[in-house]
Amino acid sequence: MGMTIQPDDLTNTGHRLRLLSYNVQAGISTSRYRHYITQSWRHLFPHKQRFKNLNRIADIVASYDVVGLQEVDAGSLRSGFVNLTEYLAERAGFPFWHDQTNRKISKIARHATGLMSRFEPREVKAYKLPGRIPGRNLLDVRFGQKGDSLHVFVVHLALGARARMEQIAYISDLINSCEHVILMGDMNFKSRSKEMDYLLSHTDMRESVHDLHTYPSWSPKRNIDHILVTDQLDVEKVQVLTGFASDHLPIAMEVRLPESIHLVG
């Protein structure tokens, strides 16, 4: 299911990697704008439907190799003190998972960014992103040997344009310190935006397909979720999946890695 676009420059070298980026809205299913008001209590308190919905999300992500998650909860009142990245990893059969808490609201909520993988990371780091309002981080997960490794960056960028530009400038410097990079997440900016133009002109990242709409999930009109890759990675397919498991749709990509990158499962 979903919309698939095949880029023109397909290759058949190296290891194929199936990627997915998904803002899961802490397991809250939204299918109308009015639900942001009528179901707002679900962002603060536990409810039975959350885990039924998370099980649907686990079914969606189970066929991928590396999954970046935004708006997961790291274990608070609203999630029944369950770490949602860990829950999804166990449910979907991922042997490796990591998360980074970005913002805590007492015991009520622990906003986090997460990554699940079928390959063993060699190193995991978290970077605090700039911005007037704290609570935006970058999760950096490195795979392969240090001499020729793959970095997967997972982000959820700010709502404000000024903060996003600061964050993109910071992330660009990190990208330029690595050889092979995948950047995925809810970036809150569109194709051909100032933020995208800055990122693509200051790094060797590329956006293989433009204007894949992911938000809102019930009537997608904005492309604010992205998976971007450095030039050495060959993109084979990009796809937006369908469904109402969140207020965002997940975006998926298949890439071919250089033969020099060795992933350990």
Side-chain angles (χ1 to χ4, degrees):
M1 296 292 291
M3 183 170 111
T4 302
I5 296 181
Q6 302 279 6
D8 295 331
D9 54 342
L10 303 189
T11 64
N12 292 300
T13 60
H15 183 91
R16 178 186 284 116
L17 196 62
R18 296 164 298 178
L19 307 166
L20 187 81
S21 179
Y22 202 175
N23 180 327
V24 299
Q25 200 187 200
I28 300 170
S29 177
T30 301
S31 56
R32 297 288 186 275
Y33 281 115
R34 66 173 179 267
H35 290 169
Y36 287 121
I37 298 174
T38 61
Q39 298 181 4
S40 60
W41 62 272
R42 295 187 177 190
H43 290 271
L44 302 175
F45 301 104
H47 63 96
K48 293 180 181 179
Q49 284 297 119
R50 187 185 306 272
F51 286 93
K52 290 182 180 179
N53 198 48
L54 286 165
N55 293 344
R56 292 172 56 205
I57 292 171
D59 291 340
I60 293 170
V61 305
S63 60
Y64 293 87
D65 299 314
V66 177
V67 177
L69 299 170
Q70 304 89 51
E71 288 196 31
V72 283
D73 193 279
S76 65
L77 174 65
R78 66 175 177 171
S79 66
F81 297 98
V82 174
N83 185 305
L84 299 189
T85 303
E86 180 180 16
Y87 180 88
L88 288 170
E90 290 182 355
R91 183 86 185 184
F94 286 91
F96 307 103
W97 66 272
H98 298 272
D99 71 345
Q100 170 64 32
T101 298
N102 303 325
R103 184 181 296 127
K104 296 180 183 179
I105 303 176
S106 185
K107 294 182 179 180
I108 295 174
R110 289 186 63 183
H111 300 277
T113 303
L115 180 136
M116 306 183 297
S117 174
R118 304 202 179 281
F119 302 98
E120 182 178 7
R122 294 298 187 183
E123 188 177 23
V124 179
K125 294 181 180 179
Y127 296 91
K128 183 178 179 180
L129 296 176
R132 185 174 58 86
I133 301 174
R136 302 287 180 175
N137 291 1
L138 177 145
L139 186 62
D140 173 10
V141 182
R142 181 176 66 83
F143 299 89
Q145 302 300 320
K146 237 178 184 179
D148 202 347
S149 56
L150 172 69
H151 289 259
V152 179
F153 293 167
V154 184
V155 296
H156 185 185
L157 299 185
L159 294 173
R162 175 183 285 184
R164 282 199 306 271
M165 282 300 297
E166 292 177 357
Q167 291 164 3
I168 283 298
Y170 181 89
I171 292 169
S172 295
D173 289 341
L174 290 177
I175 291 169
N176 290 332
S177 68
C178 307
E179 186 172 2
H180 309 297
V181 178
I182 295 167
L183 173 64
M184 62 168 68
D186 177 355
M187 301 187 196
N188 278 314
F189 61 75
K190 303 177 183 179
S191 301
R192 305 180 185 88
S193 62
K194 290 182 179 179
E195 297 93 331
M196 183 68 81
D197 289 345
Y198 182 97
L199 179 65
L200 300 185
S201 64
H202 287 75
T203 70
D204 65 349
M205 302 293 289
R206 73 181 191 277
E207 183 187 20
S208 299
V209 177
H210 307 299
D211 305 319
L212 293 180
H213 295 167
T214 57
Y215 180 85
S217 58
W218 58 93
S219 180
K221 297 173 182 174
R222 300 180 64 198
N223 67 310
I224 57 176
D225 298 274
H226 303 280
I227 303 177
L228 309 173
V229 300
T230 45
D231 280 337
Q232 302 87 350
L233 307 181
D234 295 306
V235 177
E236 294 195 331
K237 182 169 68 174
V238 185
Q239 182 179 21
V240 174
L241 308 184
T242 58
F244 299 121
S246 170
D247 60 342
H248 288 245
L249 297 176
I251 184 168
M253 178 182 285
E254 290 186 14
V255 299
R256 285 274 184 180
L257 304 180
E259 293 183 354
S260 57
I261 298 178
H262 300 286
L263 304 180
V264 179

